[in-house]
Amino acid sequence: MASGFATVFRRWASTTTITVKTAPSKAHHHAPIPSSAFPAGYVLTGVHSGIKKKPGVLDLGVIISTPARPASAAACFTRNAFKAAPVLVSDEVLQKNQGRARAVVVNSGCANAVTGKQGLEDAWAMVRETDQLFHSTSQQSAGHDTLVLSTGVIGQNLPISKIVTALQTTVKPSLASDFEAWERAAKAFMTTDTFPKLRARTFTINGVEYRLAGMDKGAGMIHPNMGPPGALHATLLGCILTDAPISPRSLQSSLTYAVDRSFNSISVDGEMSTNDTILVLANGASQGAPMEEIDEQTDPEAYAVFKKELTAFAIDLAKLVVRDGEGATKFVTVTVQGAQSYSDAHRIASRVSTSALVKTALYGEDANWGRILSATGSVPLSTPLDPTKVSVSFVPSDGSATLPVLVGGEPESVDEVRAKEILSNEDFEVLVDLGTGGSEVARYWTCDFSYEYVRINGDYRS
Amino acid sequence: MASGFATVFRRWASTTTITVKTAPSKAHHHAPIPSSAFPAGYVLTGVHSGIKKKPGVLDLGVIISTPARPASAAACFTRNAFKAAPVLVSDEVLQKNQGRARAVVVNSGCANAVTGKQGLEDAWAMVRETDQLFHSTSQQSAGHDTLVLSTGVIGQNLPISKIVTALQTTVKPSLASDFEAWERAAKAFMTTDTFPKLRARTFTINGVEYRLAGMDKGAGMIHPNMGPPGALHATLLGCILTDAPISPRSLQSSLTYAVDRSFNSISVDGEMSTNDTILVLANGASQGAPMEEIDEQTDPEAYAVFKKELTAFAIDLAKLVVRDGEGATKFVTVTVQGAQSYSDAHRIASRVSTSALVKTALYGEDANWGRILSATGSVPLSTPLDPTKVSVSFVPSDGSATLPVLVGGEPESVDEVRAKEILSNEDFEVLVDLGTGGSEVARYWTCDFSYEYVRINGDYRS
């Protein structure tokens, strides 16, 4: 078949030149944050260890909680069957420490996923070397206090000696707590991200002011489905840090709730990673914080405030990932309302948000609502849909009038000029009302599917 | 926000020029078939009725079984909640006639989906006018004998008067049974298809020779999930015609079996349509055919032969759709073996076949098996996967050696030159062995995700 092969190969050589709309610069989504807005009791850095070939590009980050008492720690990990080594190791550390930890080490450029036994050894080496940065001599045999995160290509081993060398040399002198240190750490998370994703938020419980800050990364392979540890169930990575005092148990339950409504409600390309992980540390280092940790049993009101603030913050961080979706030119909110159950609404919002035909139409600024309907109808539900009850609208982000395109199963005569006007914006909302009489609502955040997505992923490894 | 809108709008105006690999011509997949290879007892045509604007493009097809006794008829319809009017109408005709029909009418250019009451009236008008082509005066009040298929844009009404006019004028004089008539009918099915999809097959039961012929269409919105009527649960359209005699019940059960292993095992873009439909007519018109219809109860052996032939033929037709997938440059078989259940294997094969990251890597001819693993691991299964047991290989289509990339959960040191050699072919296979000890195997057929897919679907309606 050698001659057949040659013939086929030549056919592939056919190419054409096309002019394509490109994603706008997203650099304005990153801006300086006053150092006073960050939670107390954390030092951070990001360095170049050499995992990434380009000199000076940050690829290794370390975050350390400075109080002597380990911080409360919680996590949500990917439900992928092929959990990467750092996921398995972080889960084990959390379990053994009963929800306590003092540090996070993160690398980009290599996911340390599907790397067998060597991968586990390398992840443990990262934990051990990071522990050395803050453990006193007496603590060195007391077990591990570091959680580990990795992101990048799957199936390649880490250049572990370069990472260990950096942890022993350049990391410690660069640890700091100012904006630049937080920014360095955030940059060490980045892979195909076009800007570092760093945010801070201040809130008050019982008269005491607390802060939340966090960074995340992700642009492709984004459709997380994460659950709490133990059940062991993203390459979305996120780390949230707070100086509020809260018990490990309540930190986990508030994180699980927050992740379901934030990171588990975003999609760039419908791909669940082997590494998706969201970590949170709570060190109680805020001035005036009580000695007693907040717990849902002992102070449900304080817990409710914390959970609400954490959820709102997680949504902010999650949206940044969609904003920076690979090749994305649009940021679209998909809201499904009028459902009998949250799970039905969430399933439809997820399906519409991942439909290749919906996403290419969004890129083309084409109000092709038939594709939205078709995606909606393809989802198996606990309460079957009544097609004559379903309505679809486009909601502009500038507060101008909503454009109904389908009302009670009957197509509207759509003003295509107005539709184009709404869809030419970067931000808008697709609203699907199932009309079941139920009041459940789910919201998803997604982006469009562009030529750049194909370019970025058609040759990611080279 | 008027100024903000203007700013955003200007940003979208940024474009760039890129050189992209294009899909090869697929015209060679259509070639003349000897008229003697087609089943006896059918007359067909395709005409230009004016649904499509371009003069002379065929957009209306009619297929009529000529024996006086209605043919056995069976169908599998989309499980989408928003079933198009032609799906609802064909289902009703089939139910009322207890699995008998005499004709099929098909149009392309408009799906008559989500078109409310008008859509139903239009579909019935197509049935009624087609009935007139073969009903004698005495039959005119005896109910309907025509099944109807539509494909094209969702949410627009049919130009029904143009269709009725064509059915009353140009259709009848052009009905014939030669290759050109079969080809005209196949062309009337086409939307974004680049070639008409027409195949024929001959087989023997109990010494009598029978023929199967059929046409299908579909290039995008292809990830069918079709079930038998009544349960009423595509825009893949297909019509299979045979001159074998088989009972309606056995025709339906053999079609349901065949569709699960053919049309329900292909994906172009993961989209289940509102119109997906496969119809089959069996008129028993072959010379020498017995008066008695083949039935699974009375002649299980003959039934088994028919089912096997129908399944093989359905797989041939289904593969043509993937071969012509929108923008596709690759034809990839995804085989999942070593599973405990067919359903687990089928779910994984489906997920790998729809992964945007896998499909862009296929386009890039990049042996990024980590993405195959990640997709495999993201599927919830009845028997959880053991990551240390899973193996992945690339299998070339020229009979040369298979390339293992993952063996028992451990990555192989992959010869990238050899990997590139395999992936540069148009056809190859991705083989995933779950290593559970089970012997279940599922096979899916998929294509890659290219720039052209985005171009075709970013502005389909214009």
Side-chain angles (χ1 to χ4, degrees), chain A residues 12 271 329 355 374 424 461, chain B residues 12 80 271 329 355 366 424:
Chain A
W12 295 148
E271 304 285 343
T329 76
S355 158
S374 183
S424 68
R461 297 194 307 171
Chain B
W12 296 146
N80 198 301
E271 304 285 345
T329 76
S355 158
D366 178 7
S424 67

